[in-house]
PDB file of all heavy atoms in Angstrom:
ATOM      1  N   GLU A 115      24.940 -26.649 -72.818  1.00  0.00           N
ATOM      2  CA  GLU A 115      24.220 -27.797 -72.257  1.00  0.00           C
ATOM      3  C   GLU A 115      25.177 -28.695 -71.480  1.00  0.00           C
ATOM      4  O   GLU A 115      24.766 -29.399 -70.549  1.00  0.00           O
ATOM      5  CB  GLU A 115      23.538 -28.587 -73.375  1.00  0.00           C
ATOM      6  CG  GLU A 115      22.415 -27.842 -74.073  1.00  0.00           C
ATOM      7  CD  GLU A 115      21.260 -27.549 -73.139  1.00  0.00           C
ATOM      8  OE1 GLU A 115      20.870 -28.454 -72.382  1.00  0.00           O
ATOM      9  OE2 GLU A 115      20.765 -26.406 -73.156  1.00  0.00           O
ATOM     10  N   VAL A 116      26.434 -28.707 -71.898  1.00  0.00           N
ATOM     11  CA  VAL A 116      27.494 -29.391 -71.166  1.00  0.00           C
ATOM     12  C   VAL A 116      28.631 -28.405 -70.976  1.00  0.00           C
ATOM     13  O   VAL A 116      28.755 -27.421 -71.715  1.00  0.00           O
ATOM     14  CB  VAL A 116      27.997 -30.669 -71.897  1.00  0.00           C
ATOM     15  CG1 VAL A 116      26.888 -31.696 -72.039  1.00  0.00           C
ATOM     16  CG2 VAL A 116      28.611 -30.324 -73.256  1.00  0.00           C
ATOM     17  N   GLN A 117      29.487 -28.670 -69.994  1.00  0.00           N
ATOM     18  CA  GLN A 117      30.588 -27.749 -69.692  1.00  0.00           C
ATOM     19  C   GLN A 117      31.942 -28.272 -70.174  1.00  0.00           C
ATOM     20  O   GLN A 117      32.949 -27.569 -70.069  1.00  0.00           O
ATOM     21  CB  GLN A 117      30.649 -27.491 -68.181  1.00  0.00           C
ATOM     22  CG  GLN A 117      29.541 -26.602 -67.677  1.00  0.00           C
ATOM     23  CD  GLN A 117      28.177 -27.268 -67.729  1.00  0.00           C
ATOM     24  OE1 GLN A 117      27.992 -28.345 -67.164  1.00  0.00           O
ATOM     25  NE2 GLN A 117      27.235 -26.651 -68.410  1.00  0.00           N
ATOM     26  N   ALA A 118      31.961 -29.483 -70.693  1.00  0.00           N
ATOM     27  CA  ALA A 118      33.220 -30.047 -71.202  1.00  0.00           C
ATOM     28  C   ALA A 118      32.905 -31.196 -72.147  1.00  0.00           C
ATOM     29  O   ALA A 118      31.808 -31.758 -72.127  1.00  0.00           O
ATOM     30  CB  ALA A 118      34.109 -30.529 -70.058  1.00  0.00           C
ATOM     31  N   ILE A 119      33.897 -31.525 -72.964  1.00  0.00           N
ATOM     32  CA  ILE A 119      33.828 -32.671 -73.869  1.00  0.00           C
ATOM     33  C   ILE A 119      35.003 -33.578 -73.543  1.00  0.00           C
ATOM     34  O   ILE A 119      36.136 -33.108 -73.357  1.00  0.00           O
ATOM     35  CB  ILE A 119      33.925 -32.237 -75.345  1.00  0.00           C
ATOM     36  CG1 ILE A 119      32.762 -31.317 -75.715  1.00  0.00           C
ATOM     37  CG2 ILE A 119      33.965 -33.446 -76.277  1.00  0.00           C
ATOM     38  CD1 ILE A 119      32.928 -30.671 -77.095  1.00  0.00           C
ATOM     39  N   CYS A 120      34.744 -34.876 -73.460  1.00  0.00           N
ATOM     40  CA  CYS A 120      35.807 -35.864 -73.277  1.00  0.00           C
ATOM     41  C   CYS A 120      35.658 -36.890 -74.392  1.00  0.00           C
ATOM     42  O   CYS A 120      34.590 -37.492 -74.546  1.00  0.00           O
ATOM     43  CB  CYS A 120      35.690 -36.530 -71.906  1.00  0.00           C
ATOM     44  SG  CYS A 120      37.026 -37.688 -71.537  1.00  0.00           S
ATOM     45  N   THR A 121      36.715 -37.093 -75.164  1.00  0.00           N
ATOM     46  CA  THR A 121      36.598 -37.905 -76.372  1.00  0.00           C
ATOM     47  C   THR A 121      37.317 -39.241 -76.258  1.00  0.00           C
ATOM     48  O   THR A 121      38.461 -39.316 -75.825  1.00  0.00           O
ATOM     49  CB  THR A 121      37.151 -37.146 -77.598  1.00  0.00           C
ATOM     50  OG1 THR A 121      38.532 -36.833 -77.381  1.00  0.00           O
ATOM     51  CG2 THR A 121      36.391 -35.864 -77.843  1.00  0.00           C
ATOM     52  N   ALA A 122      36.619 -40.297 -76.682  1.00  0.00           N
ATOM     53  CA  ALA A 122      37.271 -41.589 -76.915  1.00  0.00           C
ATOM     54  C   ALA A 122      37.949 -41.532 -78.286  1.00  0.00           C
ATOM     55  O   ALA A 122      37.622 -40.671 -79.102  1.00  0.00           O
ATOM     56  CB  ALA A 122      36.232 -42.708 -76.866  1.00  0.00           C
ATOM     57  N   PRO A 123      38.885 -42.437 -78.565  1.00  0.00           N
ATOM     58  CA  PRO A 123      39.695 -42.297 -79.781  1.00  0.00           C
ATOM     59  C   PRO A 123      38.918 -42.569 -81.065  1.00  0.00           C
ATOM     60  O   PRO A 123      38.052 -43.449 -81.111  1.00  0.00           O
ATOM     61  CB  PRO A 123      40.803 -43.336 -79.579  1.00  0.00           C
ATOM     62  CG  PRO A 123      40.205 -44.357 -78.675  1.00  0.00           C
ATOM     63  CD  PRO A 123      39.321 -43.587 -77.745  1.00  0.00           C
ATOM     64  N   LEU A 124      39.233 -41.792 -82.088  1.00  0.00           N
ATOM     65  CA  LEU A 124      38.757 -42.089 -83.433  1.00  0.00           C
ATOM     66  C   LEU A 124      39.934 -42.547 -84.285  1.00  0.00           C
ATOM     67  O   LEU A 124      41.096 -42.381 -83.903  1.00  0.00           O
ATOM     68  CB  LEU A 124      38.038 -40.896 -84.058  1.00  0.00           C
ATOM     69  CG  LEU A 124      38.733 -39.525 -84.151  1.00  0.00           C
ATOM     70  CD1 LEU A 124      39.828 -39.491 -85.189  1.00  0.00           C
ATOM     71  CD2 LEU A 124      37.700 -38.445 -84.466  1.00  0.00           C
ATOM     72  N   ASN A 125      39.635 -43.148 -85.414  1.00  0.00           N
ATOM     73  CA  ASN A 125      40.668 -43.614 -86.336  1.00  0.00           C
ATOM     74  C   ASN A 125      40.717 -42.655 -87.515  1.00  0.00           C
ATOM     75  O   ASN A 125      39.703 -42.440 -88.194  1.00  0.00           O
ATOM     76  CB  ASN A 125      40.346 -45.036 -86.799  1.00  0.00           C
ATOM     77  CG  ASN A 125      41.401 -45.593 -87.731  1.00  0.00           C
ATOM     78  OD1 ASN A 125      41.424 -45.266 -88.915  1.00  0.00           O
ATOM     79  ND2 ASN A 125      42.275 -46.429 -87.209  1.00  0.00           N
TER      80      ASN A 125
END
Side-chain angles (χ1 to χ4, degrees):
E115 293 296 316
V116 298
Q117 287 69 56
I119 299 171
C120 184
T121 60
L124 55 72
N125 182 281

